[in-house]
Amino acid sequence: VGDELEPRGTDYRDEGQRFVLMLRELGIPAVEDLRLSTGGTSEAAAAVKSWALQGTLRSVLLVTGSDHSRRVGRVFKRTAAGSGVAVRIRIARYSAFAPERWWRSRGGLRTGLIELQKLALDLVAHPIS
């Protein structure tokens, strides 16, 4: 969308750029926008670990949606183990997924079942992480 609108003089910002701008307006001076490839959670965890080590960071706070916070936490903590980077996971306050009633809507049911499958696969592949 941005590639089409910018030549026409429209100031277009994608969701990531809007969040960065909002955080800066809230007074957070150092905001990094990591543009990750379309790989999966493991690739994202490796990229964040590499980024943290390059910047000599000792801790990373990852805010994620409630639908996949448990699996993302397992993957990121497993990837960062032994690197000296502490990973903390927080669930976004305003997540579209409602863990207390996910089975009541078709979209929630679909999301819940997909995430349960992914979590089960992660538990089987890495039982002690």
Side-chain angles (χ1 to χ4, degrees):
V1 174
D3 292 340
E4 291 296 324
L5 292 175
E6 286 177 13
R8 294 175 171 88
T10 303
D11 184 27
Y12 174 77
R13 292 189 177 102
D14 66 12
E15 188 178 31
Q17 292 167 327
R18 287 194 308 268
F19 282 135
V20 168
L21 181 62
M22 182 176 44
L23 290 170
R24 288 189 178 137
E25 288 175 353
L26 289 171
I28 301 171
V31 178
E32 293 279 339
D33 184 9
L34 299 180
R35 295 295 170 146
L36 304 175
S37 66
T38 58
T41 306
S42 297
E43 291 83 5
V48 169
K49 175 186 165 187
S50 174
W51 168 77
L53 292 173
Q54 286 175 356
T56 63
L57 298 176
R58 296 181 349 150
S59 64
V60 174
L61 175 64
L62 178 67
V63 181
T64 184
S66 58
D67 54 333
H68 56 264
S69 58
R70 174 128 344 152
R71 183 178 54 85
V72 167
R74 287 177 50 87
V75 172
F76 272 74
K77 288 177 181 179
R78 182 174 56 246
T79 302
S83 67
V85 177
V87 177
R88 297 282 185 172
I89 306 296
R90 293 291 178 259
I91 298 171
R93 184 177 298 172
Y94 304 107
S95 179
F97 183 77
E100 65 278 355
R101 61 181 184 278
W102 59 270
W103 60 90
R104 293 183 182 171
S105 72
R106 187 178 184 112
L109 184 62
R110 181 179 187 278
T111 301
L113 292 175
I114 288 170
E115 286 302 323
L116 282 172
Q117 288 174 345
K118 290 179 180 180
L119 181 60
L121 181 61
D122 187 62
L123 286 167
V124 169
H126 307 281
I128 308 176
S129 68

